[in-house]
Amino acid sequence: QVQLVESGGGLVQSGGSLRLSCVASGSIFRLNDMGWYRQAPGKERELVASITSGDSTNYAESMKGRFTISRDNAKNTVYLQMNSLKPEDTAVYYCNADVIGRNLLGRNYWGQGTQVTVSS
């Protein structure tokens, strides 16, 4: 079994910054693609950004230039640096990872989510 634990969420004023972290632990052979998603009240969960094991990144259009995703493979951790935050960025942010377990089987995992609230 694998656990993804997010941290770094909170309340910030418009224009501020936050850095989210997500640590993967458990029966891990290899972490493949990792990503951040978010879900605002009454809306569907949407992709924020993703990063491959080779550090190729992909961003949702509205996050380009403001958010940066990175990873530290030695620490099994993925980060999301969020700058120039706007009230519309308010949501629960979820970590996601494609994991190859020590049994060499692949599975996708979600974290429990961390709340980000941006006040105007």
Side-chain angles (χ1 to χ4, degrees), residues 93-105:
Y93 284 69
Y94 296 92
C95 177
N96 179 269
D98 286 328
V99 181
I100 305 297
R102 289 178 184 153
N103 58 5
L104 301 184
L105 296 178

Side-chain angles (χ1 to χ4, degrees), residues 9-59:
L11 174 64
V12 64
Q13 289 188 334
S14 182
S17 298
L18 283 174
R19 188 193 195 206
L20 306 183
S21 300
C22 171
V23 180
S25 63
S27 180
I28 299 170
F29 175 73
R30 185 176 69 241
L31 290 172
N32 288 334
D33 291 2
M34 302 184 77
W36 289 94
Y37 289 72
R38 70 184 186 185
Q39 187 167 20
K43 295 188 177 181
E44 293 187 354
R45 191 171 297 189
E46 62 175 348
L47 173 70
V48 174
S50 63
I51 184 167
T52 69
S53 57
D55 287 340
S56 294
T57 58
N58 178 54
Y59 295 91

Side-chain angles (χ1 to χ4, degrees), residues 53-70:
S53 57
D55 287 340
S56 294
T57 58
N58 178 54
Y59 295 91
E61 195 63 35
S62 62
M63 285 65 151
K64 287 181 180 178
R66 298 191 300 125
F67 293 6
T68 302
I69 190 170
S70 61

Side-chain angles (χ1 to χ4, degrees), residues 74-104:
K75 295 181 179 180
N76 287 345
T77 301
V78 62
Y79 304 97
L80 185 68
Q81 177 67 43
M82 304 186 293
N83 298 328
S84 302
L85 283 162
K86 306 173 183 179
E88 51 263 43
D89 293 318
T90 295
V92 178
Y93 284 69
Y94 296 92
C95 177
N96 179 269
D98 286 328
V99 181
I100 305 297
R102 289 178 184 153
N103 58 5
L104 301 184

